[in-house]
Structure formats: structure tokens, C-alpha cells
Amino acid sequence: MSSDLHSALLTWYRCHKRELPWRGERDPYKVLLSEVLLQQTRAGQAIPYYHRFLQRFPTLEALAQAEQEAVLQVWQGCGYYTRARNLHRLAQQVVAAEGTLPTTVQGLRALPGIGPYTAAAVASIAFGEPVAAVDGNVRRVLSRLFAWEHPTPKQVQETADALLSATNAHPGDWNQALMELGATICTPQNPGCGGCPVAAFCRGKASPGRYPAAKVRKQKSLELVALVLQGPAGVYLERRQGPVLGGLWGVPMEEGPGALERLLARFGLDSAELLGPVHHEFTHRKLHIRVYRAPWMAGENPLHRPLSRLDQKILALAGAGPAHLV
Ligand code: SF4
């Protein structure tokens, strides 16, 4: 079965793969950038960021020399900003040491923000190392092919490794073929089994929705208050801290009981005008934000700062978003 499955998938991949700017790319820096983007962003949405990033930072050296704020500005709107901060640190670390990216999974794993999937993807695509890259797409495809409801990470990795070692194709092509199948045909909802190149080998195709069983995702709800301090020159912005939005800029915000009072006291204000609610979701958090506005003398144009989508929404509600101040 194995060699038939391989040739069915590879033939399909060669004919039907999506045209993406990083397809066929072997330059390690560009491969790395595409894989970091694809960690949490769909291919279609990642394309403009990929071009923008390379235009601004065409090499690892150029990225290493940049200010973190400039990197975040290019990443603005793409979300999961830890990726951009880590990529920047990685560039500085590599350039300060040997100057080029490590060529093996082991070497890549030691770099900031590089997990097992990204290391395997870069090592296989850019350097031809025969290692299986297992992401969510590959886990889903294999679970369906072998009708696994509750696959363990070890089971998935070992099967992916065994499949990879049985192909003569370039390891990067094989990895990308499996991922492409998961991204375009064996999708989470309504997989296209009728047009699937490996349907003949699939044990789960009678009820693909069963494989793998859905994981329960817990989302915490948080109540916050945001204060837009607005003046003739723009709005008051401050640099955010913390792992999610650290390094980006935004309006003052507080969480929990007494949040508004704390914000008013911080800026010596008696009151502020309630503008309305903004809702925003991160992977594990649902934010419900009451947005207030008060007049303020000192302010700046938010166009000049890297802002998260969350802050763009808040500023838009106040009529003070970048688009309002162009
Ligand atoms: S036949 Fe259906 S479930 Fe099986 S791999 Fe293809 S798309 Fe996925």
C-alpha cells in the first residue's frame, strides 16, 4: 500500500498544489519566514505579510539590524506577535554567532520560537533532511487515513516518520504534500473525500468527522476597560507589556473590578464618556472591553506605531483609528 499511497499523493501534489510565493523556495531564511507565518496564519492571509516582510528585511542580516518596533510594524495585523519578536531575536542571535541558519533539526530547535514542527519543516524543505514535519493538518490527515480517534503525539510522529522514510521524493516535497492535502482537501469540516487522491487507502473516509476526536478548547472570559485619551494631535498611546501584545502600542487598559476608577485616577480625571463595548478573541481568551473616552492634550498619530487589531478596533470606535487620522 505504501508506495501506491506515496505515488498517489505526490502525483496529485505536483499537479494540484496551490501557487504560493514560497512554493519551491529553498532559501532557508525565506522558508523559515513562511513557516513562522504559517504557524498561526492561513496561507492566503500570510502572502501579503510574506512579501512585505521580505521587502523590508530581505536578509537575515537586515532583520537582525532592525529595531524591534520596525519588525512589529511590518507584522501589524497578522496577530501572534510573539512570532515576530522571536524571529527578530533569532536573526540577532544567528548573525552574532555563525551568521547562517543551522542546517539540522537539532540546530534549528535551539533557536528562539522554533518548535519541533517549524524545525522539521525548515530542515526538510531548505536542507533536505529526512524528518517528518507534523502540524495540525498532518495529524488530521493521518488520523483519518488510519482511523485514529485519540492519536498520541508519539503515534503520529512515528507514523509520519515511517511514511517519510518510505518515499524517494525530496523530504520537503513529501512533507508539503501531506500538509497541502490537509489544507485543501482533508479539511477539518466537510473534507472532499470524493476528490481525494488517497481515498483508496483511507480507513476513516466513511465518517471522517470522527477522526481525530475534537479537543475541548477552554477559553477564559475577561472584563476590561479601555480609556481613549484624545486630543487635537491624536491619542495617548503606551507601550504594551506581556507575552501576547508586548512591544506593540495601545490605549491604557485595566482589568477587573474598579478598572475605570484606577484608569481615571492614573490620569487625574474625574469622569470619561462611555463609547460602547468591543469584543475580541485570542486563542485562549475572550475579551469584553468597555471603551471610554476623555479629552487629552498630548497625543500622537496611531499610524506611527505598531498596533494590534484589538487596539485598532478600540480606536475605530472612538473615531481615532489610523484610517481616521490619515
Ligand atoms: S478520503 Fe477523505 S478523510 Fe480520507 S484522507 Fe481523503 S479527504 Fe481525508
Side-chain angles (χ1 to χ4, degrees), residues 141 144-145 181 185-186 191-193 196 198-199 202 204-205 208:
V141 170
R144 288 172 176 172
L145 271 174
L181 185 71
I185 293 198
C186 194
C193 301
C196 175
V198 296
C202 182
K205 65 174 180 263

mmCIF file of all heavy atoms in Angstrom, residues 141 144-145 181 185-186 191-193 196 198-199 202 204-205 208, ligand 1:
data_model
loop_
_atom_site.group_PDB
_atom_site.id
_atom_site.type_symbol
_atom_site.label_atom_id
_atom_site.label_comp_id
_atom_site.label_asym_id
_atom_site.label_seq_id
_atom_site.Cartn_x
_atom_site.Cartn_y
_atom_site.Cartn_z
ATOM 1 N N VAL A 141 -4.853 14.405 8.829
ATOM 2 C CA VAL A 141 -4.829 13.503 7.674
ATOM 3 C C VAL A 141 -4.470 12.083 8.119
ATOM 4 O O VAL A 141 -5.149 11.115 7.744
ATOM 5 C CB VAL A 141 -3.819 14.011 6.608
ATOM 6 C CG1 VAL A 141 -3.608 12.954 5.529
ATOM 7 C CG2 VAL A 141 -4.299 15.311 5.992
ATOM 8 N N ARG A 144 -7.238 10.296 10.030
ATOM 9 C CA ARG A 144 -8.319 9.813 9.171
ATOM 10 C C ARG A 144 -7.857 8.616 8.337
ATOM 11 O O ARG A 144 -8.588 7.636 8.196
ATOM 12 C CB ARG A 144 -8.820 10.952 8.287
ATOM 13 C CG ARG A 144 -9.604 11.967 9.105
ATOM 14 C CD ARG A 144 -9.945 13.193 8.302
ATOM 15 N NE ARG A 144 -10.789 14.112 9.070
ATOM 16 C CZ ARG A 144 -11.109 15.332 8.667
ATOM 17 N NH1 ARG A 144 -10.669 15.777 7.506
ATOM 18 N NH2 ARG A 144 -11.874 16.087 9.417
ATOM 19 N N LEU A 145 -6.639 8.746 7.803
ATOM 20 C CA LEU A 145 -6.126 7.624 6.985
ATOM 21 C C LEU A 145 -6.113 6.324 7.786
ATOM 22 O O LEU A 145 -6.426 5.255 7.263
ATOM 23 C CB LEU A 145 -4.693 7.929 6.534
ATOM 24 C CG LEU A 145 -4.494 8.671 5.221
ATOM 25 C CD1 LEU A 145 -3.027 9.000 5.019
ATOM 26 C CD2 LEU A 145 -5.019 7.854 4.044
ATOM 27 N N LEU A 181 -2.580 18.448 1.379
ATOM 28 C CA LEU A 181 -3.805 17.640 1.371
ATOM 29 C C LEU A 181 -4.699 18.056 2.541
ATOM 30 O O LEU A 181 -5.917 18.232 2.387
ATOM 31 C CB LEU A 181 -3.459 16.148 1.477
ATOM 32 C CG LEU A 181 -4.664 15.212 1.355
ATOM 33 C CD1 LEU A 181 -5.201 15.191 -0.066
ATOM 34 C CD2 LEU A 181 -4.309 13.788 1.793
ATOM 35 N N ILE A 185 -7.983 19.577 0.928
ATOM 36 C CA ILE A 185 -8.991 18.526 0.680
ATOM 37 C C ILE A 185 -9.447 17.867 1.976
ATOM 38 O O ILE A 185 -10.637 17.808 2.285
ATOM 39 C CB ILE A 185 -8.450 17.469 -0.312
ATOM 40 C CG1 ILE A 185 -8.281 18.129 -1.678
ATOM 41 C CG2 ILE A 185 -9.394 16.269 -0.388
ATOM 42 C CD1 ILE A 185 -8.174 17.189 -2.841
ATOM 43 N N CYS A 186 -8.502 17.394 2.764
ATOM 44 C CA CYS A 186 -8.867 16.732 4.014
ATOM 45 C C CYS A 186 -8.991 17.793 5.104
ATOM 46 O O CYS A 186 -8.284 17.791 6.102
ATOM 47 C CB CYS A 186 -7.812 15.684 4.380
ATOM 48 S SG CYS A 186 -8.393 14.563 5.653
ATOM 49 N N PRO A 191 -14.565 17.409 4.542
ATOM 50 C CA PRO A 191 -13.453 17.010 3.674
ATOM 51 C C PRO A 191 -13.968 16.507 2.321
ATOM 52 O O PRO A 191 -15.055 15.937 2.245
ATOM 53 C CB PRO A 191 -12.785 15.876 4.467
ATOM 54 C CG PRO A 191 -13.808 15.404 5.436
ATOM 55 C CD PRO A 191 -14.678 16.585 5.751
ATOM 56 N N GLY A 192 -13.174 16.778 1.287
ATOM 57 C CA GLY A 192 -13.599 16.415 -0.074
ATOM 58 C C GLY A 192 -13.163 15.002 -0.429
ATOM 59 O O GLY A 192 -12.335 14.811 -1.337
ATOM 60 N N CYS A 193 -13.704 14.021 0.261
ATOM 61 C CA CYS A 193 -13.274 12.627 0.047
ATOM 62 C C CYS A 193 -13.483 12.186 -1.404
ATOM 63 O O CYS A 193 -12.705 11.387 -1.930
ATOM 64 C CB CYS A 193 -14.019 11.689 0.997
ATOM 65 S SG CYS A 193 -13.750 12.118 2.731
ATOM 66 N N CYS A 196 -10.416 13.014 -3.330
ATOM 67 C CA CYS A 196 -9.162 12.847 -2.582
ATOM 68 C C CYS A 196 -8.253 11.818 -3.255
ATOM 69 O O CYS A 196 -8.684 10.700 -3.544
ATOM 70 C CB CYS A 196 -9.473 12.406 -1.148
ATOM 71 S SG CYS A 196 -7.980 12.038 -0.202
ATOM 72 N N VAL A 198 -5.944 10.032 -2.060
ATOM 73 C CA VAL A 198 -5.579 8.850 -1.264
ATOM 74 C C VAL A 198 -6.809 8.163 -0.666
ATOM 75 O O VAL A 198 -6.689 7.369 0.264
ATOM 76 C CB VAL A 198 -4.550 9.201 -0.157
ATOM 77 C CG1 VAL A 198 -3.240 9.678 -0.769
ATOM 78 C CG2 VAL A 198 -5.091 10.263 0.801
ATOM 79 N N ALA A 199 -7.971 8.446 -1.247
ATOM 80 C CA ALA A 199 -9.211 7.859 -0.711
ATOM 81 C C ALA A 199 -9.141 6.327 -0.696
ATOM 82 O O ALA A 199 -9.651 5.681 0.222
ATOM 83 C CB ALA A 199 -10.412 8.334 -1.518
ATOM 84 N N CYS A 202 -7.766 5.103 2.553
ATOM 85 C CA CYS A 202 -8.229 5.773 3.769
ATOM 86 C C CYS A 202 -9.233 4.911 4.537
ATOM 87 O O CYS A 202 -10.302 4.595 4.034
ATOM 88 C CB CYS A 202 -8.856 7.113 3.394
ATOM 89 S SG CYS A 202 -9.406 8.031 4.845
ATOM 90 N N GLY A 204 -10.701 5.940 7.302
ATOM 91 C CA GLY A 204 -11.669 6.771 8.022
ATOM 92 C C GLY A 204 -12.662 7.476 7.119
ATOM 93 O O GLY A 204 -13.469 8.271 7.593
ATOM 94 N N LYS A 205 -12.613 7.212 5.822
ATOM 95 C CA LYS A 205 -13.397 8.051 4.906
ATOM 96 C C LYS A 205 -14.910 7.890 5.061
ATOM 97 O O LYS A 205 -15.664 8.773 4.660
ATOM 98 C CB LYS A 205 -12.979 7.829 3.460
ATOM 99 C CG LYS A 205 -13.257 6.451 2.915
ATOM 100 C CD LYS A 205 -12.917 6.424 1.429
ATOM 101 C CE LYS A 205 -13.175 5.054 0.840
ATOM 102 N NZ LYS A 205 -11.996 4.229 0.749
ATOM 103 N N PRO A 208 -15.279 10.694 8.313
ATOM 104 C CA PRO A 208 -14.044 11.424 8.635
ATOM 105 C C PRO A 208 -14.180 12.354 9.829
ATOM 106 O O PRO A 208 -13.195 12.617 10.522
ATOM 107 C CB PRO A 208 -13.746 12.210 7.350
ATOM 108 C CG PRO A 208 -14.986 12.158 6.538
ATOM 109 C CD PRO A 208 -15.742 10.952 6.944
HETATM 110 S S1 SF4 B 1 -10.544 10.171 1.898
HETATM 111 FE FE1 SF4 B 1 -11.427 11.869 2.985
HETATM 112 S S2 SF4 B 1 -10.898 11.522 5.117
HETATM 113 FE FE2 SF4 B 1 -9.580 10.197 3.911
HETATM 114 S S3 SF4 B 1 -7.702 11.365 3.623
HETATM 115 FE FE3 SF4 B 1 -9.018 11.754 1.851
HETATM 116 S S4 SF4 B 1 -10.186 13.602 2.374
HETATM 117 FE FE4 SF4 B 1 -9.291 12.805 4.268
#
